[in-house]
Protein backbone atom coordinates (compact mmCIF):
# COMPACT_ATOMS: atom_id res chain seq x y z
CA UNK A 1 0.00 0.00 0.00
CA UNK A 2 1.22 3.50 -0.81
CA UNK A 3 1.96 5.81 2.11
CA UNK A 4 -0.42 8.73 1.49
CA UNK A 5 1.77 11.14 3.46
CA UNK A 6 4.49 10.82 0.81
CA UNK A 7 2.32 11.85 -2.15
CA UNK A 8 2.94 15.31 -3.60
CA UNK A 9 1.32 17.22 -6.52
CA UNK A 10 4.68 17.03 -8.27
CA UNK A 11 3.96 13.32 -8.76
CA UNK A 12 0.88 14.24 -10.86
CA UNK A 13 2.97 16.43 -13.19
CA UNK A 14 3.98 15.14 -16.59
CA UNK A 15 6.59 17.00 -18.62
CA UNK A 16 5.86 17.32 -22.32
CA UNK A 17 7.11 19.31 -24.16
CA UNK A 18 10.37 20.08 -22.39
CA UNK A 19 9.94 22.85 -19.82
CA UNK A 20 6.14 22.48 -19.62
CA UNK A 21 4.44 20.33 -17.00
CA UNK A 22 0.77 19.31 -17.06
CA UNK A 23 -1.02 18.23 -13.90
CA UNK A 24 -3.57 15.49 -14.50
CA UNK A 25 -6.65 14.56 -12.50
CA UNK A 26 -7.82 10.97 -11.84
CA UNK A 27 -9.38 10.84 -15.34
CA UNK A 28 -6.15 11.96 -17.07
CA UNK A 29 -7.55 15.42 -17.85
CA UNK A 30 -5.20 18.40 -17.59
CA UNK A 31 -6.27 20.78 -14.84
CA UNK A 32 -3.15 22.91 -14.65
CA UNK A 33 0.08 23.72 -16.42
CA UNK A 34 3.47 25.02 -15.35
CA UNK A 35 5.96 26.56 -17.76
CA UNK A 36 9.58 27.36 -16.97
CA UNK A 37 10.69 30.89 -17.91
CA UNK A 38 14.13 32.42 -17.70
CA UNK A 39 13.81 36.04 -16.54
CA UNK A 40 17.55 36.77 -16.51
CA UNK A 41 20.85 34.94 -17.00
CA UNK A 42 20.70 33.33 -13.56
CA UNK A 43 17.03 33.68 -12.56
CA UNK A 44 14.31 31.15 -13.41
CA UNK A 45 10.57 31.40 -12.70
CA UNK A 46 7.65 29.06 -13.20
CA UNK A 47 4.42 30.37 -14.76
CA UNK A 48 1.46 28.72 -13.00
CA UNK A 49 -1.88 28.27 -14.83
CA UNK A 50 -5.13 26.66 -13.73
CA UNK A 51 -7.61 25.71 -16.46
CA UNK A 52 -5.98 28.15 -18.88
CA UNK A 53 -5.81 31.19 -16.55
CA UNK A 54 -2.51 32.37 -15.06
CA UNK A 55 -2.79 32.24 -11.27
CA UNK A 56 0.76 33.27 -10.39
CA UNK A 57 4.48 32.68 -10.58
CA UNK A 58 6.83 30.60 -8.48
CA UNK A 59 10.57 30.27 -8.02
CA UNK A 60 10.50 26.46 -7.57
CA UNK A 61 8.73 23.68 -9.44
CA UNK A 62 7.59 22.18 -6.14
CA UNK A 63 5.83 25.37 -5.05
CA UNK A 64 4.31 25.81 -8.52
CA UNK A 65 2.80 22.31 -8.34
CA UNK A 66 1.44 23.03 -4.86
CA UNK A 67 -0.23 26.23 -6.09
CA UNK A 68 -1.93 24.53 -9.02
CA UNK A 69 -3.07 21.60 -6.90
CA UNK A 70 -4.32 23.92 -4.15
CA UNK A 71 -6.45 25.76 -6.69
CA UNK A 72 -7.73 22.41 -7.98
CA UNK A 73 -8.83 21.44 -4.46
CA UNK A 74 -10.45 24.84 -3.78
CA UNK A 75 -12.57 24.42 -6.90
CA UNK A 76 -14.14 21.27 -5.47
CA UNK A 77 -15.86 23.05 -2.58
CA UNK A 78 -19.01 25.15 -2.54
CA UNK A 79 -18.78 28.86 -3.31
CA UNK A 80 -20.08 31.49 -0.93
CA UNK A 81 -20.64 31.51 2.80
CA UNK A 82 -22.32 28.99 5.06
CA UNK A 83 -26.02 28.33 4.60
CA UNK A 84 -26.75 28.28 8.35
CA UNK A 85 -27.65 31.58 10.01
CA UNK A 86 -25.36 30.93 13.00
CA UNK A 87 -27.93 32.46 15.32
CA UNK A 88 -28.41 35.87 13.66
CA UNK A 89 -31.06 37.23 11.37
CA UNK A 90 -30.34 39.01 8.09
CA UNK A 91 -29.81 42.30 9.98
CA UNK A 92 -27.04 40.86 12.18
CA UNK A 93 -29.15 40.78 15.33
CA UNK A 94 -29.47 37.63 17.49
CA UNK A 95 -32.50 35.45 16.80
CA UNK A 96 -34.89 35.46 19.76
Amino acid sequence: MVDQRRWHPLLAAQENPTGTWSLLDAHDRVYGTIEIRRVSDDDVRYRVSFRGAVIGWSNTLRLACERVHGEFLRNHGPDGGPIASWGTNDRGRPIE
Side-chain angles (χ1 to χ4, degrees):
M1 178 179 264
V2 176
D3 184 2
Q4 295 297 324
R5 294 170 295 173
R6 296 182 51 89
W7 184 87
H8 188 274
L10 186 60
L11 298 174
Q14 295 185 354
E15 186 177 14
N16 193 11
T18 303
T20 301
W21 292 266
S22 299
L23 275 76
L24 306 175
D25 65 11
H27 302 287
D28 290 331
R29 294 179 300 216
V30 175
Y31 65 84
T33 56
I34 300 164
E35 299 173 22
I36 193 167
R37 301 286 173 93
R38 185 170 300 280
V39 293
S40 67
D41 289 341
D42 59 346
D43 198 13
V44 172
R45 294 284 187 261
Y46 297 88
R47 181 178 179 263
V48 182
S49 301
F50 177 74
R51 294 186 178 152
V54 177
I55 60 171
W57 292 82
S58 177
N59 56 357
T60 66
L61 180 58
R62 183 179 183 93
L63 181 58
C65 288
E66 287 177 358
R67 287 184 175 171
V68 173
H69 191 68
E71 191 66 26
F72 177 68
L73 294 177
R74 278 189 290 283
N75 276 267
H76 280 82
D79 292 333
I83 296 172
S85 68
W86 301 102
T88 60
N89 59 22
D90 56 343
R91 291 182 287 282
R93 296 190 183 117
I95 296 174
E96 297 174 3

